[in-house]
Amino acid sequence: MKKILIAGGTGFVGKRLVSFLAEQGYVIHVLTRKSMDHPSENIQFFKWNIEQQYIDKKAFDGVDVIINLTGANIAEEKWTKKRKKEIIDSRIKSINLLYQYVSENHLKINTFISSSGVGVYGAVTTAKIYRETSEMGSDFLASVCQIWETAAMKFQDLGARTVILRKGVIMGKEGGMLQKLTPLAKQGISVSLGSGKQFMPWMDLRDLVRLYALILSNPEFCGVYNAVATEQITMNDLSKTLLKSFGKKSFLPNVPAFIIRLLYGEMSVMLLEGSRVSNEKLKSTGFSFEFDTIEKSLSQ
């Protein structure tokens, strides 16, 4: 059975991906900072410490694919100078450690799949639809994504097929944005921010893990892909659909933009701005979405 090493496999996306791929017959080696018991023969945990530059060498036994999901949550805290450094370091140092270990030990890694975000295009609300070839933004989040992608692309130098997924907001009931918004929507409270006209590129978690499986089985995947659903929704659209899914309506106004700016400072731009992102390149590979509308995603 094919063995896959997953870094960052204990988070919101990682947990679902690990269990999904194990069900598909893969053996999953998960890098974690804490000692954990193996839940099954197909899933094994191995320790690593990025600051100490340590990885349990047994994690790489029989592995020729690495999936990287590491990175501190960009929306968890205000972007202080210290937090900005944590956001960058959590992404770059982990990739650099993986790269260094593979390179120094002359390991044969055939495929390296890493993450990025649609924030690479900049926190703006425009009529433009961004594609993988579009110019990148110049704000903090855009710069993080660019540094992140550059670090991942070094695996090409080792002969690895390198794939980067520029993800939108990942919708799943187990965590992420949806888990935070659901309690408010259940109470009939609007979850839209600012004008509500900002677009919010998104993808259902169930489609995302299926996409990873397709990338693993299809060697034609290579380079950068926007991992977003076809339906291009605004914050107002999300709020109305989420409320509707609980049989609710809200007559309350959106949370004013100035309050969001006071609460979150610089980070508020990622909440108040957003443009449409194309997934045409992804669909040209033959990938088909099971949850391509927000209503379908929220109702099942």
Side-chain angles (χ1 to χ4, degrees):
M1 292 186 289
K2 197 174 187 68
K3 292 184 179 180
I4 300 170
L5 179 64
I6 298 183
T10 57
F12 166 48
V13 172
K15 286 179 181 178
R16 174 62 77 91
L17 182 61
V18 167
S19 61
F20 180 82
L21 293 180
E23 289 169 3
Q24 302 298 307
Y26 292 97
V27 174
I28 311 299
H29 289 187
V30 182
L31 289 176
T32 176
R33 290 171 294 178
K34 301 177 182 178
S35 297
M36 299 179 70
D37 294 330
H38 302 330
S40 71
E41 291 183 3
N42 277 25
I43 303 173
Q44 300 175 35
F45 292 96
F46 300 88
K47 289 191 71 174
W48 74 332
N49 187 305
I50 297 170
E51 296 303 323
Q52 295 177 9
Q53 297 284 287
Y54 168 78
I55 303 180
D56 183 344
K57 64 181 181 180
K58 294 191 293 293
F60 289 89
D61 288 350
V63 165
D64 63 359
V65 174
I66 299 175
I67 297 176
N68 175 52
L69 299 169
T70 57
N73 189 330
I74 59 172
E76 200 167 78
E77 300 177 22
K78 289 181 73 171
W79 290 349
T80 61
K81 185 176 180 180
K82 178 183 177 184
R83 184 58 177 173
K84 282 183 174 182
K85 187 175 186 302
E86 290 173 351
I87 288 170
I88 294 173
D89 287 351
S90 65
R91 286 158 171 77
I92 309 310
K93 286 186 177 181
S94 55
I95 293 178
N96 287 345
L97 179 56
L98 289 167
Y99 176 85
Q100 179 182 333
Y101 193 94
V102 170
S103 177
E104 290 180 354
N105 291 279
H106 307 288
L107 303 180
K108 179 59 179 176
I109 299 298
N110 293 328
T111 301
F112 183 75
I113 308 173
S114 195
S115 302
S116 183
V118 295
V120 72
Y121 304 115
V124 293
T125 303
T126 70
K128 183 173 182 177
I129 299 176
Y130 288 89
R131 293 173 172 78
E132 289 82 356
T133 53
S134 297
E135 63 183 22
M136 299 182 186
S138 57
D139 54 46
F140 170 67
L141 194 53
S143 65
V144 169
C145 291
Q146 291 170 49
I147 297 169
W148 200 2
E149 293 183 13
T150 299
M153 282 299 183
K154 291 193 300 183
F155 273 82
Q156 288 185 323
D157 300 336
L158 302 179
R161 172 175 68 109
T162 303
V163 181
I164 294 175
L165 297 179
R166 290 177 177 166
K167 299 170 185 172
V169 174
I170 304 304
M171 291 293 182
K173 296 176 182 178
E174 305 96 321
M177 175 186 277
L178 193 57
Q179 189 179 59
K180 294 179 180 179
L181 298 183
T182 293
L184 297 173
K186 282 182 175 179
Q187 298 299 316
I189 299 172
S190 171
V191 297
S192 195
L193 308 176
S195 70
K197 296 178 181 178
Q198 64 271 40
F199 285 94
M200 195 192 72
W202 66 282
M203 188 173 190
D204 189 285
L205 177 58
R206 291 162 290 187
D207 278 332
L208 180 62
V209 296
R210 288 178 49 251
L211 174 58
Y212 273 103
L214 181 61
I215 293 171
L216 291 172
S217 64
N218 186 348
E220 292 183 7
F221 269 92
C222 191
V224 178
Y225 296 86
N226 291 331
V228 296
T230 304
E231 185 181 46
Q232 297 166 337
I233 63 170
T234 63
M235 275 292 291
N236 283 339
D237 295 329
L238 173 64
S239 181
K240 290 176 183 176
T241 307
L242 187 56
L243 286 163
K244 181 182 176 183
S245 71
F246 295 112
K248 302 286 186 178
K249 286 185 179 180
S250 176
F251 300 99
L252 298 173
N254 293 359
V255 180
F258 79 88
I259 293 180
I260 301 300
R261 294 190 184 100
L262 283 173
L263 289 173
Y264 298 105
E266 185 182 353
M267 193 181 81
S268 63
V269 296
M270 66 172 285
L271 303 173
L272 298 173
E273 306 290 347
S275 292
R276 291 172 292 178
V277 175
S278 168
N279 68 1
E280 289 303 315
K281 181 180 178 183
L282 178 58
K283 290 201 296 187
S284 72
T285 66
F287 180 76
S288 60
F289 291 82
E290 289 185 5
F291 304 92
D292 210 17
T293 67
I294 195 67
E295 184 171 8
K296 191 173 183 181
S297 175
L298 296 178
S299 65
Q300 296 185 30

